[in-house]
Amino acid sequence: MVTAAQPLLSPPAADVGRPRVTAVRYLGPNWYASVMGTAIVATAGAGLPGDVPGLRTVCTAVWALSALMLVTLLGARALHWTHHRDQARAHLLDPAMAPFYGCLAMALLAVGGGTLVVGGDWIGTRAAVAVDAVLFTAGTAVGLAAALAIPYLMVVRHRIRADQATPVWLLPVVAPMVSAAVGPLLVPHLPPGQPRATLLLGCFALFGLSLLATFVMLPVIFARLVTAGPLPLALTPTLFLVLGPLGQSTTAVGKFADFAPGVVPAPYDQGFGMLAVLYGVPVLGFALLWLCLAGALVARARRQGMGFAMTWWAFTFPVGTCVTGAESLARHTGLVAFDWLAVALYALLVAAWSVAAARTARGLVSGELLATPR
């Protein structure tokens, strides 16, 4: 996601005449949001109610696209760090860009989870488990590092005014919640006993870590909105990022309830089932309230001339987590209303992804998205 506060650094003389290297100079960690947004289209679509002919095949193809995007972006970011370390350091010291390092972890986790949900249809269950295990481990490690390092930098190195608070600050602390939501998928593939219980309760600890950190951040973000007014136009889509921890935490508690029986002793296994409903319903209700508020502010910004930026990818992954959260509540409550909610939110997700993907492809072809920030 491109922000309005990217540092204006000119390419060093050593890069002149090296277009392939120079092209990635301004490729920030915000680009991982496109991988997350693509992967969630696949995993959310696979959990929709009913049996729509061809839907799972389409979801698997979208997962394959997200995996290809991840590999390509990892390579491009490696070139960025190798040839443009000054710009990479500038990103870390930029309070508007540094939080996007949480997107790397979530991109790894989203593609890994999609591999196990739909990727196994093409590569086989054994390979899917192996891929997901690697990506889950790497994504969780990176996510925990970001959840610690980025707030540390915000305290000791960044100089931030109260009116500069944005929902982007949530990205590093939400990454462990994504681990909490996708980690339980690996539980049945571990040996019974201690390994399964350790992974499940470890994911529950990640859930608590991320949830409490989100509770710390959200009041600051809302206070900034009501005291300083709407966000700058380019950053207005980031309001949708608030949906991420809400939808993902609802998804996570549903996964705990799915896999707890036979893994943790009674009565705690049944407690997870109660938590899935008693926590998920009110949190998803607040998510719908925030969706309407954010949508109204985005419509206002659009009327005032908000153009496309990579921040538009904020319309995808957070909405996708609400889809998976609604699907989870449909399973655990049996209410058809949640099925319909999941379908409606998924339609919104696909529309948002289609627009963001098309505009991003156009910007890449024209070179506008990788040009020197203005």
Side-chain angles (χ1 to χ4, degrees):
M1 303 173 193
V2 171
T3 67
Q6 289 189 13
L8 304 181
L9 299 178
S10 300
D15 285 341
V16 176
R18 297 162 63 184
R20 291 186 179 179
V21 175
T22 313
V24 300
R25 177 167 177 77
Y26 300 105
L27 185 75
N30 51 333
W31 279 77
Y32 286 112
S34 63
V35 179
M36 299 157 48
T38 302
I40 198 70
V41 172
T43 52
L48 290 176
D51 186 14
V52 180
L55 176 60
R56 188 170 181 88
T57 301
V58 172
C59 290
T60 307
V62 173
W63 160 78
L65 175 61
S66 71
L68 177 61
M69 292 170 63
L70 177 63
V71 172
T72 302
L73 193 51
L74 287 172
R77 287 285 295 164
L79 286 175
H80 174 84
W81 271 94
T82 301
H83 297 281
H84 305 291
R85 292 181 183 176
D86 62 322
Q87 185 67 45
R89 287 192 295 269
H91 284 163
L92 280 172
L93 297 178
D94 181 0
M97 182 60 72
F100 285 103
Y101 274 91
C103 290
L104 167 58
M106 290 187 280
L108 294 169
L109 293 164
V111 174
T115 304
L116 206 52
V117 172
V118 295
D121 293 354
W122 286 4
I123 66 175
T125 301
R126 193 170 191 176
V129 171
V131 171
D132 186 33
V134 171
L135 293 179
F136 172 76
T137 302
T140 300
V142 173
L144 287 173
L148 174 62
I150 301 305
Y152 175 83
L153 288 174
M154 292 172 70
V155 172
V156 304
R157 295 298 299 273
H158 299 163
R159 294 296 175 261
I160 306 171
R161 302 190 310 270
D163 62 354
Q164 291 177 312
T166 74
V168 172
W169 290 6
L170 291 170
L171 290 173
V173 300
V174 172
M177 187 66 78
V178 181
S179 293
V182 303
L185 296 173
L186 288 168
V187 168
H189 303 284
L190 293 176
Q194 289 283 327
R196 292 185 179 182
T198 300
L199 177 58
L200 188 65
L201 293 182
C203 290
F204 192 37
L206 291 172
F207 165 85
L209 180 160
S210 180
L211 185 65
L212 294 178
T214 298
F215 285 163
V216 171
M217 292 287 193
L218 276 180
V220 178
I221 294 168
F222 187 71
R224 180 256 176 260
L225 290 175
V226 297
T227 58
L231 295 174
L233 295 184
L235 290 177
T236 302
T238 64
L239 290 168
F240 274 67
L241 295 177
V242 175
L243 298 176
L246 303 176
Q248 198 68 282
S249 61
T250 302
T251 303
V253 293
K255 294 297 183 185
F256 300 152
D258 291 339
F259 294 100
V263 174
V264 296
Y268 304 111
D269 57 344
Q270 300 302 314
F272 278 118
M274 295 176 61
L275 180 65
V277 177
L278 297 182
Y279 172 89
V281 172
V283 169
L284 193 61
F286 177 69
L288 294 177
L289 171 65
W290 190 270
L291 175 62
C292 294
L293 174 62
L297 290 171
V298 166
R300 173 185 178 276
R302 188 64 173 161
R303 289 194 302 269
Q304 294 185 350
M306 181 187 75
F308 174 75
M310 287 296 285
T311 48
W312 283 31
W313 282 100
F315 298 139
T316 58
F317 188 80
V319 174
T321 66
C322 293
V323 176
T324 56
E327 292 168 349
S328 172
L329 287 175
R331 291 195 308 273
H332 291 285
T333 65
L335 293 179
V336 178
F338 287 116
D339 285 330
W340 284 108
L341 177 61
V343 171
L345 290 173
Y346 189 72
L348 177 63
L349 168 63
V350 171
W353 178 84
S354 300
V355 173
R359 298 295 293 270
T360 301
R362 185 187 305 174
L364 282 173
V365 172
S366 68
E368 180 182 355
L369 290 179
L370 294 177
T372 304
R374 294 180 181 272

